[in-house]
Amino acid sequence: MRKRAILFITAGALLLSLAACNSQPTNSSQKSSQKGNEPVSSISSVIPEDSSKVVGESPSPSATPTAGPKEKTESSQNEEEVLLQITVGGQVFLADLASTEAAQSLSEMLPMSLEMSDWQSTAKVFELPSVMPEAAEEYSQVPAGQLLLKGSGSLYLFYQTSDQPENYTPIAIIQDPTGLSQALSGETMEVSFQLIMS
C-alpha cells in the first residue's frame, strides 16, 4: 500500500509539473503575440486619425482667398474719371480738373456757355458773376491750354503761351491744346463747359 501511495504522489507531482510547463510557454507565447500586436494596433489607430485630418480637414480662415493687389488695381482702374469738356466752335477739348476749391466751385456751376473776350492775344477772359475761392500760385510763364482764375472772379483760358508773370488759381489743364489757338481766334468766342465721365 505504501508503495502504491508513493507512486500516486509521484505521478501527481509529475502531472502538475508537466501542466505547469505547458501553461508557461502558452502564456509567454500569448505575451509575445500581444507584444507583437501592440505596435500594429498603435499604428492602425494613428493612421486613420492622420488621414482623416488630411482628407476631412476644413480650410482655416487664413486659407480663405482674399482680394490681392492685382484685383485692387483692376478695380481702381475701372473707376470713372471726371473730366472737363471745353467746346469751342464745334471743337472739343478735354481737360483735367485741378484739386482746388475754385475748380470744385466752377464744377458746381456746369454746364454753362460763356461769351469770352480776347486778352492780349494770348487768352480768352470772362468775369464770373460770383466770387470764387482763391488759392493763387505764382506763374512766371503760362502755357497754352491752362484754365485759370485771376483774383476771385476772372476766368482765363490761355490759347497761347504767356510770358507775363502773374498769380492765378489753377482750375484745369487741357490735355491736348492742339488747335485751341485756331478755335479761339477772334475778339469774342462762345465757349461751353461741362463735366463728362471717362
Side-chain angles (χ1 to χ4, degrees):
M1 291 288 293
R2 290 183 74 180
K3 286 183 179 181
R4 285 185 180 179
I6 291 169
L7 283 174
F8 278 121
I9 291 169
T10 305
L14 283 172
L15 287 173
L16 286 174
S17 63
L18 285 174
C21 289
N22 288 336
S23 64
Q24 283 179 356
T26 304
N27 291 338
S28 63
S29 63
Q30 286 178 353
K31 287 181 182 178
S32 63
S33 64
Q34 286 176 358
K35 286 182 182 178
N37 290 338
E38 280 180 5
V40 175
S41 62
S42 62
I43 291 171
S44 62
S45 64
V46 170
I47 290 175
E49 286 181 9
D50 291 344
S51 62
S52 65
K53 286 182 182 179
V54 173
V55 175
E57 187 176 14
S58 59
S60 62
S62 61
T64 306
T66 56
K70 184 177 179 182
E71 291 178 9
K72 290 179 182 178
T73 306
E74 287 175 358
S75 63
S76 63
Q77 287 175 350
N78 291 335
E79 292 179 3
E80 293 181 332
E81 183 183 4
V82 179
L83 296 177
L84 177 63
Q85 179 177 292
I86 302 171
T87 307
V88 185
Q91 293 191 28
V92 176
F93 302 91
L94 298 179
D96 297 310
L97 288 164
S99 56
T100 59
E101 289 184 22
Q104 180 63 35
S105 296
L106 184 69
S107 299
E108 291 170 1
M109 300 178 188
L110 304 182
M112 66 180 179
S113 294
L114 306 176
E115 284 288 334
M116 304 187 78
S117 303
D118 199 66
W119 180 78
Q120 297 183 357
S121 299
T122 55
K124 287 292 188 285
V125 63
F126 183 86
E127 295 298 327
L128 295 168
S130 59
V131 175
M132 304 280 285
E134 294 183 59
E137 299 177 8
E138 185 178 351
Y139 285 79
S140 57
Q141 185 184 70
V142 182
Q146 296 277 338
L147 182 65
L148 303 171
L149 180 71
K150 183 178 180 181
S152 60
S154 300
L155 189 65
Y156 283 77
L157 177 56
F158 284 85
Y159 59 85
Q160 297 283 4
T161 299
S162 173
D163 294 324
Q164 183 176 333
E166 192 61 74
N167 292 332
Y168 297 101
T169 300
I171 300 292
I173 302 174
I174 292 176
Q175 295 175 348
D176 183 8
T178 304
L180 183 64
S181 178
Q182 290 79 8
L184 288 173
S185 62
E187 284 300 314
T188 59
M189 290 294 299
E190 182 178 337
V191 183
S192 298
F193 300 89
Q194 66 177 359
L195 296 179
I196 63 166
M197 308 297 287
S198 67

